[in-house]
Amino acid sequence: MNSLYLTILFPLIGFVLLTVGQKKLSENVSALIGVGSVGLSALFTLLAGLAFTEHGAFVQHLWTWFSAGNFSSEINLQLDGLSLLMAGMITGVGFLIHVFASWYMRGEAGYARFFSYFNLFVASMLVLVLADNLSLLFLGWEGVGLCSYLLIGFYYSNPDNGWAAIKAFTVTRVGDVFLLIGMFLLYQAFGTLHTATIVENASHVLSGNYAFWTAMMLFLGAAGKSAQIPLQTWLADAMAGPTPVSALIHAATMVTAGVYLTCRLHTVFEITPAVMQFISLTGAITLLVAGFAALVQTDIKRILAYSTMSQLGYMFMAVGAEAYQAGLFHMLAHAFFKALLFLSSGAVILACHHEQNIFKMGGLWKKIPFVFACFVVGGGALAAIPFVTVGFFSKDAILGAVYAHGNHGFYWAGVAGAFLTSIYTFRLIWVVFFGEEKTHAHQISGATYWAPLGILLVLSTFVGGLLKAPVERLLTSARIPAVEHVDASSAEHIAVVIALIGLAIGIALFTVGYKAVKTTARTSLGAGVSSIWYGAFGFDILYDIVFVKPYLFLSKMVGRDPIDGMWLVLPALAKGGHKFISSRQTGLLRDYASSMVLGMVVLLMILIVMQGMGQ
């Protein structure tokens, strides 16, 4: 395990080589470096896992990052059950996405540049999950934020893509400010940002309002990265990037960071039941809002984006119910089937000549039968089809744990979300793969296309469910609590039945009842409801009215960007101070003497005032 640092070093080396040689490297060499570096990272993660023992955490000290006064931050990597699970998911699923991307991005301008960003993304996420202190974690946290900006705006010639990247960067930075405040509060209380120290002593150090606001700031930071209300608006627009980017962000990296943070610092949140309730409430509202939004989207990638938001809501519901192991296993299961769905959607998009509107597709099951099979299995896992898909073993465990915890309202919200998921999943598959062919699709082939899809397809079935026991054992070794065994099988059975009813309703609506659905959608009521759902209940409009328009108005009034103006204050003060001090260098003794006397008078006045305040 002494080679743990290599899991990060290989993608970093790939990033440097691809950045330096991006204008000279061929596509084959770029793919070899980009895919190979993450493959080596996955290999060394596997080796670290094989050498891992379930007795305590392994910590590898590399060097001291910086030291200021009594505060110092170390570059230390920590491997325990939780970080091993995360690193395995990041490098394993990330490697498969890299392999697919080497096929998908062929012929695109900036091929080497794409893989340089991809490698940096993986390296940053590994820093985040392997860090043993919050300052190093925050470095990786900001790294994935930067990479998401670069990759979402990869097709920078289209201004809309640039705005989508800026939106993602800005909204997630709002969450990062909250996270920083939470980190400052933790340092104030503990005198350190060492994660293990905080986790072990949280119940003894934090209490009352201080504990409440610390936990709330940390959760809002997590909500920004994991696209939970009210910081969820960036996720759907992130679809502007290439499809493999969507797969990497939504399956194995960025959006999982918030779930990881809340589980890693679980003792900080457990002190304040009100915050735990708020976390569950946020997850429940988010999964319902995203579920309704997914019902009416027409872009294949945006449907999957809203489904990601919804599934993250389930994970946070699990965190709020202290069902951390269930939430983390669902995160792993989601990585499998969501990567499968996004990569399959990429294959569909290429087969349909870069068309993304599902209503311009149709009849594809004959043209690309393997992709159809991938969609059926991935969609089945998303809808948690019982016994045969990995989603059944993960999502229903969350619903059972939430019910057993006594949060019956949140449980029924989760059941309603499962109902919606079944409907929009069938709608997606039916419209894309059945009916009349509206876009002439062409055949697609290549080992780098079907091999990663095939592996993810297998992991999205009950085979992935076999990983549940090993995952729980790993998390137990990392002191991530398991839910006390309470029989909630009846609640899980109800959830399964309602999900199947949703699937049956979806089949009825989009087959024999499809004309009635279209007729209803054209009515004034139907059009109004569809518009609300399509806009995900208008959060973008709300933020535009409350934040964007007032800011633009203020910019127009002052004649410049106010933030730019704020930054110009600092150099203006420095320049003015320099000018004033220079003007006092006259060479005249009487000027220096008068300045000294004036300074002494000011100091005496300050001392007199302070003495008076002390009395």
Side-chain angles (χ1 to χ4, degrees):
M1 285 194 290
N2 289 325
S3 58
L4 182 61
Y5 70 96
L6 292 176
T7 60
I8 300 172
L9 184 61
F10 281 122
L12 280 178
I13 292 173
F15 162 70
V16 172
L17 293 177
L18 290 164
T19 301
V20 172
Q22 61 179 285
K23 294 183 179 179
K24 299 179 181 178
L25 297 176
S26 66
E27 287 189 346
N28 288 336
V29 174
S30 297
L32 180 63
I33 296 172
V35 177
S37 63
V38 178
L40 289 171
S41 179
L43 174 62
F44 277 87
T45 300
L46 175 62
L47 294 175
L50 293 174
F52 177 73
T53 60
E54 297 176 4
H55 305 289
F58 169 77
V59 178
Q60 184 175 36
H61 173 73
L62 298 178
W63 65 84
T64 298
W65 183 11
F66 62 87
S67 181
N70 295 326
F71 176 74
S72 65
S73 184
E74 309 292 329
I75 303 290
N76 290 345
L77 304 182
Q78 172 182 283
L79 189 70
D80 64 0
L82 177 54
S83 56
L84 178 58
L85 171 66
M86 296 297 297
M89 181 185 72
I90 294 162
T91 58
V93 177
F95 172 67
L96 295 176
I97 295 171
H98 273 69
V99 172
F100 183 90
S102 68
W103 169 80
Y104 184 89
M105 297 299 293
R106 288 282 174 175
E108 295 273 11
Y111 191 86
R113 177 169 60 90
F114 172 84
F115 276 105
S116 71
Y117 297 161
F118 240 35
N119 280 190
L120 183 60
F121 208 142
V122 171
S124 298
M125 193 67 192
L126 287 171
V127 169
L128 191 159
V129 300
L130 293 176
D132 86 328
N133 62 82
L134 293 179
S135 54
L136 184 58
L137 178 148
F138 192 73
L139 177 67
W141 190 277
E142 292 302 291
V144 295
L146 170 65
C147 293
S148 69
Y149 168 78
L150 295 172
L151 287 164
I152 292 168
F154 181 78
Y155 298 125
Y156 58 85
S157 58
N158 184 340
D160 290 341
N161 296 341
W163 284 115
I166 292 171
K167 181 179 181 180
F169 192 78
T170 303
V171 174
T172 54
R173 289 296 76 67
V174 173
D176 295 352
V177 172
F178 289 120
L179 176 58
L180 271 175
I181 294 171
M183 289 169 58
F184 293 150
L185 292 173
L186 286 175
Y187 181 74
Q188 180 70 22
F190 292 89
T192 181
L193 290 176
H194 184 242
T195 308
T197 302
I198 293 170
V199 171
E200 291 169 7
N201 299 290
S203 60
H204 305 297
V205 176
L206 298 174
S207 62
N209 286 332
Y210 196 96
F212 173 86
W213 287 112
T214 301
M216 185 61 76
M217 293 299 103
L218 292 172
F219 170 65
L220 290 174
K225 273 290 185 286
S226 294
Q228 298 295 286
I229 287 174
L231 299 175
Q232 84 288 4
T233 56
W234 66 271
L235 193 67
D237 291 321
M239 297 303 97
T243 305
V245 173
S246 305
L248 193 62
I249 290 177
H250 288 241
T253 56
M254 184 168 167
V255 297
T256 65
V259 180
Y260 167 76
L261 179 69
T262 51
C263 291
R264 174 63 79 188
L265 298 177
H266 63 93
T267 58
V268 176
F269 296 96
E270 289 168 0
I271 298 169
T272 53
V275 173
M276 296 292 277
Q277 284 285 100
F278 182 75
I279 292 173
S280 285
L281 176 63
T282 301
I285 294 173
T286 302
L287 72 88
L288 288 175
V289 167
F292 282 112
L295 278 175
V296 295
Q297 300 301 311
T298 58
D299 185 304
I300 187 171
K301 289 169 63 177
R302 288 180 75 91
I303 296 170
L304 296 178
Y306 280 114
S307 79
T308 296
M309 193 187 303
S310 181
Q311 298 309 303
L312 288 165
Y314 281 100
M315 297 174 209
F316 279 106
M317 272 211 316
V319 170
E322 299 183 31
Y324 308 107
Q325 293 192 7
L328 287 166
F329 181 65
H330 188 56
M331 180 178 66
L332 178 66
H334 178 261
F336 295 152
F337 65 74
K338 189 49 61 70
L340 176 64
L341 285 169
F342 264 115
L343 297 185
S344 298
S345 72
V348 168
I349 290 167
L350 282 190
C352 293
H353 314 283
H354 295 279
E355 179 58 64
Q356 294 185 200
N357 188 332
I358 61 173
F359 291 102
K360 295 182 179 179
M361 299 175 183
L364 295 180
W365 74 273
K366 292 181 180 179
K367 289 292 183 68
I368 43 175
F370 177 62
V371 177
F372 169 62
C374 291
F375 249 97
V376 169
V377 172
L382 175 60
I385 300 300
F387 309 116
V388 294
T389 65
V390 69
F392 165 74
F393 296 97
S394 59
K395 185 190 291 185
D396 282 21
I398 291 176
L399 293 174
V402 170
Y403 187 86
H405 195 262
N407 296 327
H408 293 174
F410 299 144
Y411 164 78
W412 286 110
V415 170
F419 176 79
L420 294 173
T421 302
S422 295
I423 294 176
Y424 71 67
T425 301
F426 180 80
R427 169 183 178 263
L428 171 62
I429 295 174
W430 180 262
V431 172
V432 171
F433 291 99
F434 293 92
E436 180 185 352
E437 182 179 344
K438 301 177 183 66
T439 298
H440 179 68
H442 62 81
Q443 299 290 336
I444 50 179
S445 61
T448 50
Y449 135 71
W450 60 259
L453 289 181
I455 294 170
L456 290 168
L457 183 149
V458 172
L459 291 173
S460 297
T461 65
F462 69 92
V463 174
L466 300 177
L467 297 174
K468 186 175 182 181
V471 167
E472 289 175 347
R473 190 165 60 248
L474 274 179
L475 295 174
T476 300
S477 74
R479 299 182 181 179
I480 303 297
V483 177
E484 293 184 11
H485 181 70
V486 179
D487 186 14
S489 57
S490 59
E492 294 183 24
H493 295 158
I494 290 171
V496 171
V497 170
I498 291 181
L500 291 176
I501 290 173
L503 183 62
I505 291 174
I507 292 172
L509 287 177
F510 296 102
T511 54
V512 295
Y514 192 39
K515 289 184 179 180
V517 171
K518 291 194 291 185
T519 301
T520 303
R522 292 192 187 102
T523 65
S524 56
L525 177 61
V529 172
S530 296
S531 178
I532 293 171
W533 290 356
Y534 188 83
F537 291 82
F539 279 89
D540 277 314
I541 297 172
L542 175 65
Y543 293 162
D544 189 57
I545 294 171
V546 175
F547 298 112
V548 178
K549 282 187 168 54
Y551 187 82
L552 293 175
F553 177 76
L554 180 61
S555 300
K556 187 176 181 180
M557 290 292 292
V558 300
R560 65 164 63 244
D561 188 322
I563 292 179
D564 286 347
M566 288 172 61
W567 285 114
L568 292 173
V569 169
L570 294 177
L573 287 174
K575 185 178 180 180
H578 172 73
K579 186 176 181 180
F580 173 76
I581 294 172
S582 298
S583 68
R584 304 311 301 160
Q585 305 302 310
T586 62
L588 300 175
L589 183 60
R590 62 177 178 270
D591 288 348
Y592 297 154
S594 61
S595 296
M596 291 174 64
V597 171
L598 178 61
M600 290 174 64
V601 169
V602 172
L603 286 173
L604 285 171
M605 291 177 65
I606 293 173
L607 289 172
I608 292 169
V609 171
M610 291 179 65
Q611 187 176 12
M613 292 176 64
Q615 293 176 349

